[in-house]
Amino acid sequence: MTTAGFISIAVTLLLILLLARPAGHYLARAFDYERTGLDRIFLPAEKLICRLGGIRGDNQTWKQYAFTLVLSNSVMIVITYLIFRFQSFLPLNPGNIGNMEPTLALNTAISFMTNTNLQHYSGESGLSYLSQMVAIVFLMFTAPASALSVIMAFIRGLAGKPLGNFFVDLIRSITRALLPIAFIAALAFVCLGVPQTLEPAAVVTTLEGAEQQIARGPVASFLSIKELGNNGGGFFGVNSAHPLENPNALSNLIQILLMMLITTATPFAYGKMVGSPKQGRVLFVSMMMLFLLMLGVSISAEQAGNPLLNSLGIEDSQGSMEGKEVRFGLAQSSLYSVVTTASETGAVNTMHDTLTPIGGMVTIANMMLNTVFGGIGAGFLNVLMYAMIAVFLSGLMVGRTPEFLGKKIEGKEMKLIAATLLVHPVLILVPSAIALALQPDSISNPGFHGLTQVLYEYTSSAANNGSGFEGLGDNTPFWNLSTGIVMYIGRYFAMVALLAVAASLAAKNAVPVSAGTFRTDNRLFAGVFIGVVLIVGALTFFPALVMGPIAEHLTLKP
Amino acid sequence: MRTIWITVRTSLVLMLLCTLLYHLTVTGIAQAVLPYEADGSILYNEDNEPIGSALVGQTFTEPQYFHSRVSSIEYDAAGSGSPNYAPSNEELITRTKEAAEAWKQANPGSPLNQLPIDLVTNSGSGLDPHISPEGALVQIPRISERTGIAAAELEKLVAEHTAGRELGIFGEPRVNVLMLNLELQQLLNK
């Protein structure tokens, strides 16, 4: 890679770093219900929405909180399902797009409600403007808002405070974080060339005299919440590889910053809310190290390129360019692929199916670990779970009851955590095995890569990422329903179980810190944490990765 | 039951706020302030007929034009997509070999080892408006022979249409093929 490529990545990471702490403190203030100067603007709006919605805003127990989360999200799935099913009878459909097929509509509704944004349809031809603008974008706001609410409730539990009220948190997430930032970013995207129109596709006559249709629409407002909310579903079929959805390297930079903003801010918000900034900083640094490891592997693999093509005698210094766009080149494509899978966004500016085997493996590994920052809320929830596992394992090694933030972690918590830990690989590996046995025809690329395609689909679903190895023929009832189930369980199981853990910890008396306490705010803990993430992740998924990307890599010989 | 009722009511309120109000405000501002960008950067000729988008690539097959990258959808921007070939896919190797072979036939003046990889690979979107500057320069011998325009003049044209990295840092240097060919067409018309 060129020096300019390295510098562009370094500057991007620096910007992420600079934004994370202030954004985290802003979140902490907003969700600790502290009074801030911005209350004057936000409070009246929030009160109005609460009144219109009939929300009282009492503190909830963890059971009420979890129940409200799952029920309200399920109702939203039903509402949007109905819109997709009947879009042809509804207004704002200049392209005369038909109703969605039932399993596809269900898959799409679950996919967007669970912040996954797996897309088995193509935006240009599958959805009316109403479906895109109202149904999809509604979920693009409420899904990350739901997850942000849960993580904030979880942190309050750890801090020994009441969990709060789900609906109040949901609305705060939207009014104080998602909506204002999305609005500003949308305007910035328009300045950089992203369309924002209600006109149907433009029809032009090309220089060579052919007719070309150019699909467009309200892309900018869609794009900004897609990235900020770690949603990732593209307005166009090819997502942010489309020149109208990502016209240049600056729009690309803003997208990367938006994807990382809230998820990198959360550890800082956590540190502030539990009254010990170091606790958050250690986790941030640990995740950043995992991130850099992934990025390094990805870049070196993509730069080496595809030996089968390079051996044809062409000029290959650009690296692997199949499925990549010239305006981003190697550095920004590689970076984007790592950012989008680390933050579980799922937007792509390069086709992941065409990445070199090892570059592709990095993207899957990010989703398998699901702790390299992770998506809004859900990611940090996982990180805290791994932190407790790290504490527990350390406790076992020295023979002392493990403590986390002064609360003893005992059998009840560990059972819930262990179950959550196991659900993720089960959701990935079992359906992959079934699909390989029953649906071999959906695989578009032969050989070891075919296995990776299937593995990727379920990993992406379980981790609520939503990107795909898009060659897979996945718009069939089998794939729609199976990935729908995986996304639903992948989303809510962990949230409910971990809310129970938080409530159980909150009810315990704090143990005073002594010389024998295993500290969770220093370098030793960072090392143990990274070790646990890598060992637990590698042990679970290594065999699958060997049979997929690693085998493909080893067979790429000219 | 109460939760369901609250969810339905809140959903309706949020749909108004986060979707209709949000989109329409952004659309209103965008259309008022930046109508060209907001409509998709559509280009018009002297007769005010739309001839393309400055951001979306087009197919060029005639030898006197600069050619774009490979596109399995032939730059049909009603959709978007690529064949998603894995690095190990035979079809990828075959397609690239054929493209390299066709290149040799059409460009006897430019050896294969100068052919940059972006010209024989499919972009992610199938609509990539750009090629690398090297990818434009390497086509000059063919175009110069076809059109009779001196190579030096074409090189100047390519240099004028080479956009650098954004802010000097981000992305890669590139040439917008449609813009370059529009200019080339003007030269040809003279």
Side-chain angles (χ1 to χ4, degrees):
Chain A
M1 193 172 60
T2 55
T3 326
F6 272 115
I7 297 174
S8 73
I9 289 177
V11 173
T12 311
L13 294 179
L14 194 69
L15 288 171
I16 292 172
L17 226 57
L18 287 176
L19 288 171
R21 219 166 74 101
H25 288 183
Y26 173 79
L27 283 183
R29 272 206 305 276
F31 285 93
D32 249 353
Y33 298 133
E34 279 178 35
R35 297 174 61 87
T36 69
L38 295 168
D39 282 351
R40 279 237 304 271
I41 315 167
F42 291 129
L43 263 186
E46 284 158 6
K47 278 191 180 145
L48 180 70
I49 298 171
C50 283
R51 224 184 51 225
L52 292 173
I55 301 164
R56 280 203 229 110
D58 320 319
N59 271 324
Q60 292 174 310
T61 64
W62 81 266
K63 276 186 188 153
Q64 288 168 333
Y65 203 102
F67 176 76
T68 317
L69 161 81
V70 176
L71 185 62
S72 69
N73 279 199
S74 303
V75 170
M76 291 175 190
I77 289 174
V78 173
I79 295 174
T80 44
Y81 171 83
L82 293 174
I83 296 180
F84 297 142
R85 289 286 291 130
F86 299 110
Q87 59 180 2
S88 76
F89 310 126
L90 295 168
L92 275 177
N93 186 8
N96 285 323
I97 289 162
N99 293 330
M100 230 183 207
E101 180 267 322
T103 62
L104 181 59
L106 183 67
N107 181 282
T108 308
I110 294 180
S111 164
F112 280 83
M113 186 70 252
T114 57
N115 210 344
T116 313
N117 296 211
L118 196 69
Q119 292 169 294
H120 288 176
Y121 63 91
S122 193
E124 297 95 330
S125 54
L127 289 179
S128 69
Y129 281 178
L130 182 89
S131 292
Q132 292 256 40
M133 287 170 63
V134 176
I136 295 275
V137 172
F138 165 65
L139 295 182
M140 280 184 161
F141 275 99
T142 51
S146 299
L148 190 56
S149 306
V150 170
I151 188 66
M152 290 303 163
F154 185 78
I155 294 175
R156 285 187 203 120
L158 289 183
K161 296 175 194 152
L163 292 187
N165 179 285
F166 174 74
F167 280 116
V168 172
D169 288 340
L170 180 84
I171 286 165
R172 278 209 166 203
S173 306
I174 291 174
T175 52
R176 306 223 171 185
L178 299 173
L179 196 56
I181 303 176
F183 179 74
I184 295 166
L187 294 179
F189 283 130
V190 177
C191 294
L192 293 168
V194 178
Q196 179 71 25
T197 175
L198 299 180
E199 297 290 315
V203 182
V204 306
T205 311
T206 67
L207 198 54
E208 290 196 342
E211 184 190 284
Q212 186 189 33
Q213 283 198 35
I214 301 175
R216 52 185 177 172
V219 189
S221 49
F222 191 94
L223 174 62
S224 61
I225 187 59
K226 155 187 134 185
E227 307 290 4
L228 176 68
N230 293 153
N231 291 296
F235 189 92
F236 299 110
V238 293
N239 213 298
S240 283
H242 197 291
L244 290 177
E245 196 156 332
N246 197 356
N248 53 51
L250 283 183
S251 59
N252 197 61
L253 170 70
I254 298 181
Q255 296 187 15
I256 289 176
L257 295 180
L258 287 176
M259 280 192 263
M260 294 299 269
L261 181 66
I262 297 183
T263 187
T264 53
T266 314
F268 291 101
Y270 160 74
K272 193 155 190 280
M273 287 169 78
V274 299
S276 167
K278 268 174 125 182
Q279 301 278 359
R281 217 154 47 205
V282 163
L283 291 174
F284 177 85
V285 171
S286 310
M287 290 190 277
M288 198 40 124
M289 285 166 80
L290 284 168
F291 179 88
L292 291 176
L293 173 74
M294 295 293 184
L295 183 63
V297 174
S298 167
I299 287 174
S300 58
E302 292 302 304
Q303 181 62 60
N306 182 350
L308 298 183
L309 293 190
N310 296 354
S311 68
L312 298 178
I314 48 181
E315 208 286 305
D316 57 18
S317 62
Q318 292 177 76
S320 171
M321 283 303 285
E322 178 75 16
K324 288 194 180 61
E325 302 280 299
V326 166
R327 61 192 179 283
F328 308 131
L330 186 107
Q332 292 301 323
S333 300
S334 225
L335 176 63
Y336 201 102
S337 77
V338 177
V339 166
T340 191
T341 47
S343 66
E344 304 303 353
T345 305
V348 296
N349 79 352
T350 173
M351 293 298 112
H352 288 190
D353 217 346
T354 61
L355 290 171
T356 58
I358 300 300
M361 186 179 76
V362 167
T363 61
I364 302 185
N366 267 337
M367 298 186 290
M368 287 174 165
L369 298 181
N370 206 2
T371 43
V372 189
F373 293 109
I376 287 185
F380 196 63
L381 205 58
N382 255 317
V383 170
L384 287 176
M385 178 184 82
Y386 268 93
M388 289 183 207
I389 295 172
V391 167
F392 179 73
L393 291 178
S394 310
L396 286 185
M397 283 188 265
V398 296
R400 195 188 138 91
T401 312
E403 292 153 22
F404 190 70
L405 300 177
K407 302 290 176 77
K408 283 205 164 109
I409 297 183
E410 291 167 304
K412 185 184 170 200
E413 291 83 31
M414 272 325 286
K415 275 182 205 152
L416 286 164
I417 288 175
T420 312
L421 190 67
L422 285 175
V423 163
H424 188 57
V426 167
L427 282 178
I428 294 172
L429 298 175
V430 172
S432 293
I434 296 173
L436 284 168
L438 297 183
Q439 300 279 321
D441 295 341
S442 354
I443 293 169
S444 72
N445 281 304
F448 299 111
H449 194 89
L451 186 137
T452 318
Q453 276 188 321
V454 172
L455 191 66
Y456 195 104
E457 184 77 1
Y458 287 112
T459 310
S460 177
S461 303
N464 295 142
N465 177 287
S467 61
F469 270 20
E470 294 296 344
L472 190 72
D474 51 17
N475 182 15
T476 63
F478 173 84
W479 288 102
N480 289 338
L481 294 176
S482 64
T483 53
I485 295 166
V486 169
M487 287 187 284
Y488 194 86
I489 302 176
R491 179 69 163 180
Y492 297 109
F493 188 91
M495 287 187 174
V496 173
L498 293 176
L499 275 176
V501 171
S504 160
L505 288 179
K508 292 185 187 189
N509 291 326
V511 185
V513 178
S514 70
T517 306
F518 180 67
R519 296 175 62 118
T520 53
D521 60 356
N522 56 15
R523 266 183 237 168
L524 175 65
F525 178 71
V528 174
F529 173 82
I530 292 175
V532 166
V533 168
L534 288 179
I535 291 168
V536 172
L539 282 181
T540 327
F541 294 111
F542 195 62
L545 291 177
V546 168
M547 287 195 293
I550 293 178
E552 188 190 6
H553 174 72
L554 294 175
T555 50
L556 278 190
K557 294 260 161 50
Chain B
M1 204 56 222
R2 207 181 108 73
T3 309
I4 296 179
W5 177 231
I6 292 179
T7 307
V8 172
R9 277 170 67 177
T10 311
S11 294
L12 290 177
V13 177
L14 290 179
M15 275 188 182
L16 278 178
L17 174 73
C18 301
T19 67
L20 288 180
L21 206 63
Y22 164 67
H23 285 301
L24 295 180
T25 317
V26 176
T27 310
I29 296 175
Q31 288 288 343
V33 183
L34 299 159
Y36 167 74
E37 283 85 356
D39 281 337
S41 308
I42 304 293
L43 305 167
Y44 294 88
N45 62 12
E46 300 89 38
D47 304 327
N48 211 21
E49 290 156 350
I51 52 167
S53 163
L55 297 175
V56 178
Q58 294 186 359
T59 306
F60 294 99
T61 51
E62 292 169 26
Q64 76 269 25
Y65 289 128
F66 287 92
H67 291 180
S68 309
R69 298 183 64 190
V70 178
S71 166
S72 61
I73 55 166
E74 293 178 337
Y75 290 88
D76 175 9
S80 56
S82 81
N84 279 304
Y85 287 145
S88 56
N89 196 322
E90 263 318 305
E91 290 171 40
L92 169 69
I93 315 305
T94 313
R95 189 204 70 203
T96 316
K97 271 188 186 152
E98 283 169 7
E101 210 43 53
W103 170 265
K104 278 196 264 183
Q105 299 289 325
N107 298 273
S110 311
L112 193 61
N113 63 11
Q114 286 179 11
L115 170 66
I117 193 165
D118 59 303
L119 281 190
V120 289
T121 43
N122 202 116
S123 65
S125 60
L127 304 171
D128 197 341
H130 299 113
I131 53 178
S132 61
E134 297 76 26
L137 293 173
V138 77
Q139 300 188 42
I140 285 179
R142 178 193 77 227
I143 296 166
S144 173
E145 197 194 348
R146 264 297 165 136
T147 58
I149 302 174
E153 197 171 346
L154 288 171
E155 278 166 26
K156 209 174 112 233
L157 199 65
V158 169
E160 280 168 13
H161 280 85
T162 302
R165 297 187 167 87
E166 305 283 346
L167 306 179
I169 300 176
F170 298 100
E172 299 295 330
R174 64 218 179 275
V175 178
N176 185 312
V177 186
L178 174 60
M179 301 304 234
L180 180 63
N181 281 331
L182 284 173
E183 198 91 2
L184 180 64
Q185 183 64 44
Q186 302 238 312
L187 281 181
L188 291 172
N189 289 347
K190 268 184 203 163

